[in-house]
Amino acid sequence: MAEILTIIAPVFLLIMLGYGLGRTRLFPEGSSTILIAFVWYIAIPALLFRSIAPRDLPHPDELVLVGSYYGSLYVLYTLAVLVAKYLFRLTMAEQGIFALSACFANGGFIGIPILEGAYGAEGVRLLLLLLSFHSLTLLPITTIIVERAKNNDEGPGILVRTFASIRQNPIIIALITGLAWSALGLPFPMWLDRLTALPADAAAPVGLFAAGLALSRVEIAGDIVQAAVATALKLFLLPALVFSVCEFVVGLPPVWVGSATLMAALPSGMVAYSFATQHGIGSRRAATTVLISTAASAVTLSLTLVGLHAFGY
């Protein structure tokens, strides 16, 4: 248990520090935006590029891991849409936002230090591999649902707007650049390794502090029952689905199973709240989901780690 606390406690203490200082005058409005931009556009891409470029191309078996994770994810996404439609009677656009909140993990900020503590560099590499497809898969389908709900029948226009944002996604750019570098067998000199290591090493601490700062500006503003259900889907059902598919259906290696399960157990990311705010749909519910799931994940992630380690993962 001490080992689990060593992994979990620093992560959430740093989030709490950011949350507490975010409510003081030391960090005015907009501070979290600047830090998040650094982590999202510089630190995480540097970490991803550095983890791919100097190594051989990912093994085809790793696509099985991706397929197992996202197959499970879209089962849950579909279930979340059905829950939102038939249990809560939400509109079509709200159903998409609800499902996004129940599926989109805070992998870039909370996930990196958790996976590094649990499985070292290999865990981070697998997390980044899975994270690379997160925005590529979840945001387009949710955008299409929301746009269609707005009676926007411009099919090609929806697709153009959706995939234009993907092309500019720094995670996707870093992934493609790293894969191309590896495929071409280009040298990865010490100076480049050092250059990318500096921002890469800052990804976890700055990301956690920035997450706390961002959460300090978010308040629980209603729809608590719906947010609690989305949280339960995210923190309990999704990890169970991912673990079952990776272990019993596909039979992946233990570290892969553990890494995928931990990513599935991460709390809802701020991307869901930002997406909801951008479209003016369900932002209160998304904000409440992010807050509740982040707070609850301090316990649920600990329990997930205890279970995985107890059974040799």
Side-chain angles (χ1 to χ4, degrees):
M1 191 63 186
E3 180 185 357
I4 304 301
L5 289 176
T6 301
I7 296 171
I8 297 294
V11 170
F12 286 93
L13 287 174
L14 194 49
I15 292 175
M16 290 171 60
L17 178 63
Y19 184 90
L21 290 178
R23 292 184 169 270
T24 69
R25 296 180 180 179
L26 287 174
F27 293 90
E29 188 81 28
S31 299
S32 63
T33 303
I34 296 172
L35 293 178
I36 288 172
F38 166 75
V39 173
W40 184 249
Y41 287 98
I42 305 296
I44 294 178
L47 180 61
L48 179 58
F49 176 76
R50 187 168 179 255
S51 72
I52 295 175
R55 294 176 171 82
D56 294 332
L57 286 172
H59 196 276
D61 286 350
E62 293 177 1
L63 294 179
V64 177
L65 171 65
V66 173
S68 300
Y69 183 88
Y70 283 96
S72 305
L73 186 73
Y74 273 102
V75 168
L76 186 86
Y77 190 99
T78 303
L79 176 61
V81 168
L82 294 175
V83 168
K85 180 178 182 179
Y86 294 108
L87 180 61
F88 297 127
R89 304 294 180 181
L90 301 182
T91 66
M92 183 178 180
E94 290 175 325
Q95 293 165 26
I97 300 295
F98 180 87
L100 182 66
S101 301
C103 292
F104 204 102
N106 193 334
F109 295 85
I110 297 178
I112 290 173
I114 295 291
L115 270 291
E116 183 177 27
Y119 299 109
E122 177 66 2
V124 174
R125 188 185 70 82
L126 293 172
L127 170 71
L128 292 173
L129 175 67
L130 294 173
L131 191 62
S132 301
F133 293 87
H134 224 41
S135 298
L136 185 64
T137 57
L138 282 171
L139 294 185
I141 191 170
T142 306
T143 300
I144 291 171
I145 290 173
V146 170
E147 292 287 348
R148 288 184 64 85
K150 292 178 179 178
N151 294 320
N152 189 338
D153 295 326
E154 303 175 9
I158 294 175
L159 294 177
V160 168
R161 287 192 298 273
T162 299
F163 288 98
S165 62
I166 292 175
R167 289 200 310 268
Q168 300 168 5
N169 187 301
I171 305 296
I172 302 301
I173 294 172
L175 173 68
I176 294 173
T177 305
L179 289 173
W181 197 286
S182 175
L184 294 172
L186 297 176
F188 200 82
M190 183 64 69
W191 67 265
L192 182 57
D193 180 68
R194 181 61 178 163
L195 176 64
T196 53
L198 289 172
D201 291 343
V206 177
L208 291 172
F209 187 80
L213 280 180
L215 289 173
S216 72
R217 306 293 179 181
V218 178
E219 296 181 357
I220 294 178
D223 302 316
I224 294 179
V225 172
Q226 296 169 9
V229 171
T231 296
L233 293 174
K234 180 70 191 72
L235 299 184
F236 295 101
L237 187 54
L238 182 57
L241 278 173
V242 169
F243 176 83
S244 299
V245 171
C246 290
E247 172 62 23
F248 301 117
V249 177
V250 184
L252 295 174
V255 172
W256 293 20
V257 175
S259 297
T261 303
L262 275 182
M263 178 167 170
L266 293 171
S268 299
M270 286 294 292
V271 169
Y273 171 63
S274 300
F275 187 93
T277 302
Q278 176 186 350
H279 289 274
I281 301 169
S283 57
R284 293 194 316 167
R285 185 183 305 108
T288 304
T289 302
V290 171
L291 275 174
I292 292 177
S293 66
T294 301
S297 67
V299 175
T300 58
L301 278 170
S302 299
L303 295 175
T304 302
L305 273 171
V306 169
L308 288 171
H309 285 188
F311 290 97
Y313 295 96

